[in-house]
Amino acid sequence: GNLLVSGKSYWLLVDLAKRRLVPTAKFTLRKPSDKITDMDCLKPAKINEPEGMELWDSRKIKYSDLDTNGHTTNSRYGAFIEDALPAEYRGKVPSDFKLNYSKEAMLDSTLDVYGKVEDGGKKLTIIGKTAEGCSFEAELYY
């Protein structure tokens, strides 16, 4: 009966052939929900890249990182973030976590993971970039 995790997400629909967003008005498989639920978590929002980011990790995207669309599956980004954390944050459980997916990381691309510790160690901003651009942005709060 104890709440362990709460979260909220926003999703986009993409036309796979055109690799473009599908406008909500053109999505006709079901009508949008009118249900609104208050959540006790951070609201999804843009994450800005702070000055002074440092390279924390660099990794090559492997076949096992991919989903059926041929780009890095969403669940792998959390592992990439966890692997890049400074030693003093490994094993610590954040009180809040925000992750934005910006651009797909493709097979054999190199993902450079940059980070910055802010607010006296209470906030970590982590950004993953490939040669094609920013792949993800994340904030962890402790």
Side-chain angles (χ1 to χ4, degrees):
N2 294 332
L3 179 67
L4 298 177
V5 175
S6 65
K8 186 169 189 167
S9 66
Y10 292 127
W11 291 89
L12 307 170
L13 294 174
V14 177
D15 180 320
L16 292 178
K18 296 178 184 176
R19 300 188 85 71
R20 298 273 183 232
L21 297 179
V22 176
T24 306
K26 291 189 177 185
F27 181 70
T28 58
L29 292 177
R30 65 177 183 195
K31 70 176 195 162
S33 173
D34 56 358
K35 182 179 179 183
I36 297 175
T37 304
D38 287 330
M39 304 298 284
D40 63 346
C41 60
L42 297 173
K43 291 183 178 182
K46 180 175 176 45
I47 296 172
N48 295 311
E49 181 176 345
E51 290 186 27
M53 300 283 287
E54 297 176 349
L55 182 64
W56 283 1
D57 193 19
S58 188
R59 68 186 317 125
K60 191 171 191 172
I61 300 301
K62 304 284 188 173
Y63 182 75
S64 62
D65 295 323
L66 304 181
D67 61 17
T68 57
N69 294 319
H71 55 77
T72 303
T73 189
N74 295 349
S75 63
R76 295 297 298 143
Y77 290 101
F80 298 162
I81 291 166
E82 192 172 39
D83 288 346
L85 290 175
E88 62 270 24
Y89 289 92
R90 293 185 186 142
K92 287 179 111 176
V93 178
S95 59
D96 280 301
F97 175 70
K98 191 186 300 184
L99 176 59
N100 293 344
Y101 305 106
S102 303
K103 185 170 182 59
E104 54 206 8
M106 307 301 279
L107 180 65
D108 293 329
S109 63
T110 298
L111 181 70
D112 292 325
V113 182
Y114 296 87
K116 183 172 185 181
V117 177
E118 302 177 88
D119 298 332
K122 294 179 183 175
K123 175 183 173 186
L124 275 61
T125 301
I126 303 169
I127 296 180
K129 298 179 180 182
T130 66
E132 289 74 37
C134 183
S135 183
F136 73 86
E137 305 100 2
E139 291 176 342
L140 283 74
Y141 295 87
Y142 294 91

